[in-house]
Amino acid sequence: MFAELNFNDRLREAQSRKESILCVGLDPDVDRLPRHLLRGNSEAEAVLQFNRTIIASTHPYACAFKLNLAFYEVLGRRGFEVLQKTRHMIPADCLTIADAKRGDIGNTARKYAQAIFEQLNFDACTIAPYMGRDAALPFLEYPGKAVFILVRTSNYSSIEFQSWPVEGVPFYELVARHAVRWNMDMPGTIGMVVGGTHTEAPAHLRAKFPTVPFLIPGIGAQGGSMQAATQAATIKGRILVNSSRNILYQASGANFATRASQVAMETQHRLNQLLTPYQP
């Protein structure tokens, strides 16, 4: 039943079931892994062990997991295997996002979509929209899946392009308008990446796009505002608030899983406190 729903319904059910809007980012940086995991193990094996432990320790507090593909591709020929195995470790009651930031056209975009949604069976993917609708439409052909368009990203230098005034509005708002149009008559769901480091963006975009799901990164190590993020939450406009490094790397010793679990629990609790009157 769960797999047959559209993405917004699946997100609502996952968040209601888990009482959480937290998305945990699985960005396993080999240089920051606890050293004991690398003793006697290859980098790929250490990453798998790290991911398995993090998923088990944070799963009670998360409704989704986001995997940044760069941290798997850097592992070389075993990277795809590690990515596949990590994807299969994630319990069925959590949604999965491939943070791939794909952005190509035509048959190439279609192959990217097949890899992410068919081979790896992710529930959602991030897309760079610079090449226009051609980059998004192959992903939107999949019922029950979501495409999170990079709209207002959390990095500092995003102001170089995204804040430019175009047609009387910031360029990022124009991108968002086009993305919503791309979704017309397509079975998939358009979502937006809206960085929590820009305190005005989540509420501004929510006012313009009341039902679009938002993926909000940047509230952990990048110093973004949980309060600004949760202001974009409504009953019809769901949000996923992502935290990666701030959860993964709280400790570098044998207690890394315990500390990750504690911070995930604290983050979930704080987000839920800020959600009044909205409840996931």
Side-chain angles (χ1 to χ4, degrees):
M1 175 65 179
F2 184 70
E4 296 174 359
L5 300 173
N6 67 41
F7 182 83
N8 276 324
D9 289 338
R10 298 175 67 197
L11 180 58
R12 184 189 68 251
E13 288 213 355
Q15 291 184 335
S16 297
R17 183 185 300 114
K18 302 300 292 286
E19 296 184 345
S20 175
I21 61 170
L22 174 64
C23 175
V24 174
L26 294 174
D27 302 352
D29 186 341
V30 171
D31 293 334
R32 300 187 67 178
L33 296 186
R35 294 297 94 186
H36 69 275
L37 296 180
L38 289 161
R39 296 189 194 113
N41 288 324
S42 66
E43 291 183 351
E45 290 164 344
V47 166
L48 274 173
Q49 188 173 339
F50 179 78
N51 284 353
R52 183 180 295 109
T53 306
I54 290 291
I55 291 168
S57 61
T58 62
H59 164 254
Y61 315 109
C63 68
F65 287 89
K66 178 174 74 68
L67 282 65
N68 189 314
L69 269 57
F71 292 90
Y72 301 87
E73 292 167 355
V74 75
L75 296 172
R77 64 183 181 85
R78 291 202 61 189
F80 192 81
E81 174 190 352
V82 173
L83 181 63
Q84 281 183 310
K85 288 184 176 180
T86 299
R87 168 63 189 87
H88 291 311
M89 291 175 189
I90 297 170
D93 62 355
C94 288
L95 296 176
T96 57
I97 303 170
D99 192 1
K101 299 180 178 69
R102 299 302 190 213
D104 215 320
I105 60 173
N107 198 47
T108 306
R110 183 158 286 103
K111 295 303 180 185
Y112 279 139
Q114 288 175 354
I116 289 169
F117 289 152
E118 296 181 28
Q119 294 296 322
L120 294 166
N121 196 30
F122 278 95
D123 299 301
C125 180
T126 57
I127 295 291
Y130 189 75
M131 297 182 77
R133 72 175 64 235
D134 295 348
L137 291 184
F139 291 86
L140 288 169
E141 292 174 355
Y142 288 82
K145 307 290 188 179
V147 179
F148 284 97
I149 300 290
L150 303 180
V151 172
R152 188 70 167 111
T153 56
S154 59
N155 59 305
Y156 174 76
S157 61
S158 65
I159 61 174
E160 293 180 4
F161 297 121
Q162 295 171 15
S163 296
W164 281 2
V166 181
E167 299 180 8
V169 299
F171 181 60
Y172 72 82
E173 184 179 328
L174 190 65
V175 170
R177 289 182 191 175
H178 281 275
V180 170
R181 293 190 195 114
W182 299 340
N183 204 184
M184 294 177 65
D185 302 319
M186 299 297 289
T189 297
I190 275 285
M192 299 179 188
V193 176
V194 184
T197 51
H198 306 291
T199 55
E200 83 295 340
H204 174 76
L205 286 166
R206 176 56 72 216
K208 302 288 184 180
F209 308 101
T211 62
V212 174
F214 289 175
L215 172 62
I216 304 181
I219 60 105
Q222 294 182 68
S225 167
M226 288 192 196
Q227 186 164 4
T230 53
Q231 286 175 354
T234 65
I235 294 296
K236 292 185 178 180
R238 297 273 160 173
I239 65 171
L240 282 163
V241 180
N242 183 78
S243 182
S244 301
R245 287 171 288 174
N246 196 54
I247 290 175
L248 300 185
Y249 304 119
Q250 283 290 323
S252 59
N255 65 332
F256 78 94
T258 301
R259 289 292 295 129
S261 178
Q262 290 172 343
V263 174
M265 179 180 64
E266 291 165 3
T267 304
Q268 178 211 24
H269 179 67
R270 180 58 179 153
L271 288 169
N272 285 348
Q273 283 183 320
L274 291 168
L275 280 173
T276 307
Y278 166 77
Q279 291 295 322

